[in-house]
Amino acid sequence: MKTRKLMAALLSTVMVVSALTACGGGSKPASTPTTKTNSTATTASTPASTPASTPASTPATTDGGAKHIDVIAKGFQHQFWKAVELGTKKAAEEFGVDVTFQGPDNESAIAQQVEYLNTAIAKQPTAICLAALDTQASIPSIQSAMEANIPIIGFDSGVPNAPEGAIKANASTDNTAAGALAAEELYKLVESKIKDAKEPVRIGVVAQESNSQSIVSRTKGFVDKMTELCGVENVSVEGHDSLKNEKEGAKVILDVGIPAEVKDVDAAAVASSILEKADLIAIYGSNEFAANAIITANEGLDKVGEGKVVAVGFDAGKKLLDAVRSKLFAGAVTQDPVQIGYQAVKLAVEAADGKEVSDVDTGAKWYNADNMDADDIKPCLYE
């Protein structure tokens, strides 16, 4: 009898425990997926949760299914990258994805960037956006991403010379078009001087170097567009051998100056030699370094400014921004880092969805003293 009572009690206990266990899983609601951006430069984000059944070759998602994209920049301390991050946040919100933005302490910290890349790959993100400091140092990591079927999108300078098929597309500035934009804006300012000139007039072009692809493109884009606007038969390109195309009796002389070494003093000397020429009506600096050289050279010559030689630049930076704001420079062209970040994430989402993607020109903007504080310009003016 006692045995029967004991067995009944045990059976009752088991039934109660089973009922409680069955109800427990539904008592807590599932978390709602969120879109978030981690802007911490030196700490990797919390690893994405990967189901045990997910094969190593299949990128995982986070937050119950939201796509996760790791964006790895060249740095984080520079305002340019802050603007790029702003663009990634806009895209994350628009496309409902989870984005982590990271960059090394500075643009010489190659090993730190590779470490971020390896950490990202280990988390099995949906896609990776990468602006490589050193492609060769990143190749083993890039190959690991390819083996894991994680698409990589290049942005800004991208991932030049990466293994074939590793980079699905790039979001970057078309520097040739950006240089052409500088020529178009400058031409508007000096068109009457060119057309009314009784003697040949000179437009100076100062470039940092003749090797970097982006600098060469900005310089050549300017020269080619200015030649087109002035009339090919009317233009003689003189100065540095890399672009020289001299024509006797030309109405416009494009005078290209490039220092022998990338040193401030050498660049300022090149700019001074152009500014001292009496027939000069305008001058262009094809990046921040070159624009700063013009500003420095002008300090001892006072040839540039309103009613004097018209100067335009490229990029931003405090010195150039001050020159534009004070109207020492008529204006400058800036890349659009916000669009660089936005388009990189957009391409990553499309690539992860299996769509065919191709390179995107993220554009460039002309700014001057009148529009540099506008909502669409100000985020692009990095110091």
Side-chain angles (χ1 to χ4, degrees), residues 7 47 50 67 86 94 105 157 160 177 242 257 289 309 321 338 375:
M7 290 296 292
T50 307
K67 292 182 176 66
L86 177 60
E94 181 174 334
D105 295 337
S157 57
S242 61
F289 175 86
V309 172
L321 292 177
V338 176
D375 291 343

Side-chain angles (χ1 to χ4, degrees), residues 29-172:
S31 59
T32 304
T34 58
T35 299
K36 60 181 182 290
T37 302
N38 176 8
S39 60
T40 303
T42 56
T43 304
S45 63
T46 304
S49 58
T50 307
S53 60
T54 302
S57 61
T58 303
T61 58
T62 61
D63 296 330
K67 292 182 176 66
H68 181 88
I69 297 169
D70 273 289
V71 181
I72 302 172
K74 285 185 172 182
F76 202 85
Q77 77 286 6
H78 199 289
Q79 288 301 314
F80 176 87
W81 298 114
K82 295 286 188 182
V84 173
E85 183 188 14
L86 177 60
T88 67
K89 288 181 178 180
K90 288 185 176 183
E93 182 176 355
E94 181 174 334
F95 299 111
V97 297
D98 178 46
V99 172
T100 299
F101 189 99
Q102 300 179 107
D105 295 337
N106 57 66
E107 296 188 22
S108 62
I110 296 169
Q112 188 181 15
Q113 189 192 52
V114 171
E115 182 181 347
Y116 281 139
L117 180 57
N118 288 334
T119 300
I121 294 168
K123 294 185 301 178
Q124 289 282 290
T126 311
I128 292 173
C129 300
L130 176 64
L133 287 171
D134 186 322
T135 300
Q136 287 301 310
S138 303
I139 283 179
S141 305
I142 292 169
Q143 289 174 332
S144 295
M146 293 176 70
E147 291 168 3
N149 197 31
I150 302 171
I152 300 177
I153 299 297
F155 68 99
D156 186 46
S157 57
V159 193
N161 304 314
E164 186 176 354
I167 310 303
K168 301 302 181 185
N170 291 281
S172 59

Side-chain angles (χ1 to χ4, degrees), residues 206 264-265 267-275 280 283-305 309-332 367:
V206 180
D264 292 340
V265 63
V270 167
S272 291
S273 68
I274 295 175
L275 287 174
L280 187 71
I283 191 166
Y284 163 66
S286 63
N287 74 335
E288 183 182 354
F289 175 86
N292 286 348
I294 295 170
I295 296 168
T296 299
N298 186 65
E299 290 171 357
L301 297 172
D302 192 26
K303 294 287 293 290
V304 169
V309 172
V310 179
V312 299
F314 198 114
D315 281 329
K318 188 178 188 319
K319 197 169 183 177
L320 179 53
L321 292 177
D322 288 345
V324 172
R325 195 175 294 279
S326 68
K327 298 188 177 182
L328 180 71
F329 268 48
Y367 69 95

